[in-house]
Amino acid sequence: MKTKIIFLISILSLLLCACEKDPAEYSLDREIERVAKKYIIYGRSPGIIVGIINNGETKIYSYGVANLETGDLINEYTIFEIGSITKTFTSILSAQFVLEGKFTLEDTVNNFLPSNMQLPSKNSIPIRWVHLLNHTSGLEREPDDLNPDEPFDYSASQMSAYLSRKDLLTVPGSEHLYSNAGMGLAGYALTNMSDSSYSSLLKNRIFTKLNMVNTFCSNNEKPTTNTAQGFYGNSPVDYLIMTDVFAGAGVIKSNMHDMLIYLNNCLNPETSVLMDAINLSLTPTFDIEEKQSIGLGWFVGLNDKDQNVAFHNGGTKGFASFIEFNRDKKTGFVVLINSYCLGEQDLIGEEIMRLLEED
Amino acid sequence: MKRKISISFILLFLTLITFAQENSIIAKNHWEVSLEYSIQRPFYSVTSPIDIVAIPRESRYRNRFGVGCRYYVFEKWFLEYNLAYSQEGGGYKKLFTNTNYLKNGINVGFSTDQNRRLVFNLFTGFDLNFLLNSKFKNQFTGEIEIVTNYHKNFTISFPVLGMGLKTKIHKNIFLSAQTCFSMTNYRVSNENNTNVSQVIFPAFQISLSKFIK
């Protein structure tokens, strides 16, 4: 009898061991779920989706809904505005032009803009490509005459007039001042010199090459279904209208499926068809503070363990986003949220990165 | 000498209060007990108090039931204690979190002459809140999830502000209508990185009260 009981206990123990999840993996899943889900629980956003690449494995966590009218759930193909993460695409695009010898980062941008749209200089120092791409141009964040209802529906002639009447805030190359106008103008200069729209440039040079088939610039291109509705509080918000003078700063709409392709290419540039351009965009060009620099578009730096990280956030009136990766640990993530946030996407990013780095 | 003067002033003050209270309902009955019901609009404010005014919120009304007890320290000044079951939370119309608290409110207030037809009162104080439970509801899918562990078990609401009118409806029965505001600045979130305040505005309260003889 005793032997039978011991035998049964042994079998049960073995079964329990077999059923038990890997504690490390289970814990990471649970923690990421908690970080993401709390923003839905606290009523901050209708929906959130987090995609991670960790230990060569891709995982997606989604909570809430894409649309508060229909209750459609969010999945990896749901389209969001990615906002300022677009700037990293503009930078990679610019890096491609540099690598093709079309200009150097030290070239004056005015040579590539129309003659009626010329950037101001300060102390006889002109704005160079590197200044636009690392936010040291001295340009304001945005022009002061944007229409509050459609701020980025701003024509080239409005931009020309703005640039001709406005002085730079700082000497180009001397201070880091984040500027949507600057990055928008970098994109515009690229379109001007290549005689192509910003949308076509991205499509031909990045989206198609990386097989990002669900990524768009124009609102007309985005699908009619499985598109997240953006919200400002409880008010639905239309997708931004962005003319070519601002497109480079935040026009892209994408989904988690495509953004994870992009993340994987940035995380592992050595396997990417855009290897050299990505590497150039991640090369530090200006030190913001200790361990924190900016490359071309990307914020790059060292974490507490002196590992190389790069990130960018994004935010529009109805959406928020974040992308970050640790190039040494080969881990990274993307967060997409269909609600305006006051910087919480950075806090989510900070928490998720910590979890991935501790894993 | 100073001590004697102080004692004299206190005695004089107490005498004046006693004279003032003569013939008033307060002079005979310092204690007033009440039954209270509120319909209130709670919402979460995440990250910054700026977003309370800047960002449009859902108008999702919930209930509060309670009992109260006022002690009129002086003719027009009172201390108040409420014990209430308060339904709070935040979110959107069909995607929301309900948090339910047992609230212990301690207020100090001012009230105009109780013998008038309409009595105006004004109060402020704080609530000590004990979380009973918290549920996240997705009405699109019907999913209900217990999320009590996302919220702190104990919070303090401060300030609590309110004002209202009271009138006699029977010999010693009073009906009050009040509007209130309260804010749980001490965050309700159980997450280190997420600062969530519970704001209640507006709240409309009606109560029936009676002076104890």
Side-chain angles (χ1 to χ4, degrees), chain B residues 25 31-37 66-70 72 80 114 119 121 165-178 205-212:
Chain B
I25 196 164
W31 292 93
E32 185 182 12
V33 291
S34 58
L35 280 174
E36 301 161 352
Y37 166 74
V67 289
C69 173
R70 267 184 194 180
Y72 286 84
E80 184 178 57
Q114 299 287 336
V119 182
N121 62 65
L165 292 169
K166 183 167 83 169
T167 189
K168 190 190 279 189
I169 57 169
H170 191 62
K171 206 174 175 184
N172 183 20
I173 305 285
F174 295 84
L175 177 69
S176 299
Q178 295 183 139
Q205 180 177 301
I206 52 165
S207 55
L208 285 173
S209 64
K210 179 179 178 159
F211 281 92
I212 299 175

Side-chain angles (χ1 to χ4, degrees), chain A residues 34 37-46 65 68-71 232-235 340 342 344 347 350-351, chain B residues 44 46-47 51 54-58 91-92 95 97 136 140 145 147 149-151 189-191 193-194 196:
Chain A
R34 188 175 173 91
K37 201 193 274 180
K38 69 183 176 186
Y39 283 87
I40 311 302
I41 288 169
Y42 299 140
R44 195 64 182 98
S45 173
V65 297
L68 285 169
E69 286 297 315
T70 61
Y232 181 74
N234 65 348
S235 300
Y340 168 80
L342 273 166
E344 294 100 282
L347 297 175
E350 198 179 288
E351 284 190 79
Chain B
Y44 288 136
V46 183
T47 307
D51 71 0
I55 298 177
R57 303 283 171 181
E58 210 61 70
Y92 303 91
L95 196 73
T97 301
F136 173 73
F140 295 107
E145 187 180 349
V147 291
N149 62 345
Y150 280 83
H151 295 84
S189 152
N190 209 14
E191 297 284 313
N193 241 348
T194 316
V196 183

Side-chain angles (χ1 to χ4, degrees), chain B residues 8-207:
Chain B
S8 305
F9 268 106
I10 291 168
L11 285 171
L12 179 65
F13 185 56
L14 289 174
T15 313
L16 284 172
I17 290 164
T18 311
F19 276 127
Q21 288 183 349
E22 211 169 329
N23 296 323
S24 87
I25 196 164
I26 301 297
K28 298 166 198 160
N29 317 290
H30 283 272
W31 292 93
E32 185 182 12
V33 291
S34 58
L35 280 174
E36 301 161 352
Y37 166 74
S38 301
I39 184 155
Q40 58 191 15
R41 178 185 170 235
F43 59 92
Y44 288 136
S45 156
V46 183
T47 307
S48 156
I50 298 166
D51 71 0
I52 294 174
V53 282
I55 298 177
R57 303 283 171 181
E58 210 61 70
S59 284
R60 204 170 65 89
Y61 280 86
R62 305 203 71 213
N63 302 300
R64 172 180 163 139
F65 309 92
V67 289
C69 173
R70 267 184 194 180
Y71 177 71
Y72 286 84
V73 184
F74 304 122
E75 173 76 14
K76 292 176 179 175
W77 294 92
F78 60 83
L79 286 173
E80 184 178 57
Y81 169 75
N82 313 98
L83 180 66
Y85 169 69
S86 179
Q87 299 177 330
E88 300 176 14
Y92 303 91
K93 261 189 188 127
K94 292 185 173 178
L95 196 73
F96 53 81
T97 301
N98 286 342
T99 53
N100 300 316
Y101 289 94
L102 186 66
K103 300 187 83 120
N104 291 267
I106 295 165
N107 298 322
V108 56
F110 169 82
S111 179
T112 54
D113 189 347
Q114 299 287 336
N115 296 315
R116 293 196 173 193
R117 184 182 290 270
L118 271 181
V119 182
F120 172 76
N121 62 65
L122 195 68
F123 61 87
T124 184
F126 59 90
D127 288 336
L128 305 174
N129 313 317
F130 296 92
L131 179 68
L132 298 175
N133 57 50
S134 179
K135 286 177 187 167
F136 173 73
K137 294 187 180 180
N138 181 341
Q139 289 193 335
F140 295 107
T141 60
E143 173 200 0
I144 296 175
E145 187 180 349
I146 305 292
V147 291
T148 307
N149 62 345
Y150 280 83
H151 295 84
K152 283 196 185 300
N153 289 327
F154 172 73
T155 56
I156 298 172
S157 300
F158 179 82
V160 174
L161 300 168
M163 61 180 180
L165 292 169
K166 183 167 83 169
T167 189
K168 190 190 279 189
I169 57 169
H170 191 62
K171 206 174 175 184
N172 183 20
I173 305 285
F174 295 84
L175 177 69
S176 299
Q178 295 183 139
T179 180
C180 311
F181 163 88
S182 81
M183 184 162 171
T184 309
N185 269 322
Y186 182 71
R187 65 177 185 218
V188 299
S189 152
N190 209 14
E191 297 284 313
N192 290 335
N193 241 348
T194 316
N195 188 14
V196 183
S197 300
Q198 174 76 79
V199 179
I200 296 178
F201 182 76
F204 301 104
Q205 180 177 301
I206 52 165
S207 55

Side-chain angles (χ1 to χ4, degrees), chain A residues 48-192:
Chain A
I48 185 170
I49 184 163
V50 177
I52 66 164
I53 297 176
N54 192 36
N55 300 324
E57 200 182 347
T58 299
K59 279 189 179 176
I60 292 173
Y61 309 79
S62 68
Y63 306 100
V65 297
N67 189 320
L68 285 169
E69 286 297 315
T70 61
D72 294 339
L73 297 176
I74 291 172
N75 58 42
E76 66 178 305
Y77 296 104
T78 307
I79 299 289
F80 290 73
E81 279 184 345
I82 66 164
S84 290
I85 294 177
T86 302
K87 293 181 175 74
T88 64
F89 286 85
T90 305
S91 298
I92 292 171
L93 204 55
S94 303
Q96 287 179 323
F97 279 67
V98 169
L99 294 167
E100 289 164 13
K102 293 187 172 156
F103 57 78
T104 73
L105 290 173
E106 295 306 318
D107 284 347
T108 304
V109 184
N110 276 341
N111 298 335
F112 303 89
L113 283 168
S115 56
N116 63 349
M117 187 192 285
Q118 292 290 288
L119 300 172
S121 57
K122 197 173 180 86
N123 295 354
S124 305
I125 298 179
I127 295 175
R128 305 180 193 283
W129 277 97
V130 67
H131 301 148
L132 289 184
L133 297 170
N134 68 11
H135 300 283
T136 60
S137 66
L139 286 165
E140 286 180 304
R141 189 178 179 92
E142 281 122 17
D144 51 13
D145 57 347
L146 298 180
N147 170 5
D149 296 329
E150 277 300 345
F152 302 111
D153 188 7
Y154 197 73
S155 69
S157 58
Q158 282 177 294
M159 184 60 94
S160 300
Y162 163 74
L163 292 171
S164 63
R165 71 177 161 80
K166 210 69 187 174
D167 289 334
L168 295 179
L169 298 173
T170 55
V171 175
S174 65
E175 271 185 55
H176 175 75
L177 286 174
Y178 190 87
S179 175
N180 286 317
M183 195 59 83
L185 284 162
Y188 191 68
L190 295 176
T191 65
N192 185 58

